[in-house]
Amino acid sequence: MASNAAVPFWRAAGMTYITYSNICANLVRNCLKEPHKSEVISREKVHFAFSVWKEGKPLKPVTRSDSPQE
């Protein structure tokens, strides 16, 4: 039997650890003073590529550049 007493608060709030850590990182970034704030905000952009597979073969990869929500 597992006890609920040792459940982390982020889990008790219904969040995943990734969601919790992203919220914390955004709070820290927003608390920084210039010029450090603009430097770290420029590094938070995410670049990734994905391919849709059809009939066992990948179609042309699509590259995306998303920045986190403001």
Side-chain angles (χ1 to χ4, degrees):
M1 286 187 178
S3 172
N4 288 339
V7 175
F9 67 90
W10 51 266
R11 177 68 69 196
M15 287 189 243
T16 65
Y17 182 75
I18 297 296
T19 304
Y20 164 72
S21 64
N22 283 337
I23 290 170
C24 292
N26 284 330
L27 288 171
V28 170
R29 283 187 210 105
N30 289 332
C31 290
L32 292 173
K33 293 181 180 178
E34 291 297 339
H36 305 292
K37 185 175 184 175
S38 58
E39 182 182 328
V40 296
I41 288 177
S42 69
R43 282 190 274 152
E44 73 176 321
K45 292 186 175 73
V46 177
H47 305 283
F48 61 93
F50 66 93
S51 297
V52 176
W53 288 67
K54 188 172 184 180
E55 298 176 3
K57 296 181 182 178
L59 300 177
K60 183 179 177 188
V62 177
T63 304
R64 301 262 325 246
S65 292
D66 290 345
S67 59
Q69 298 174 354
E70 303 264 329

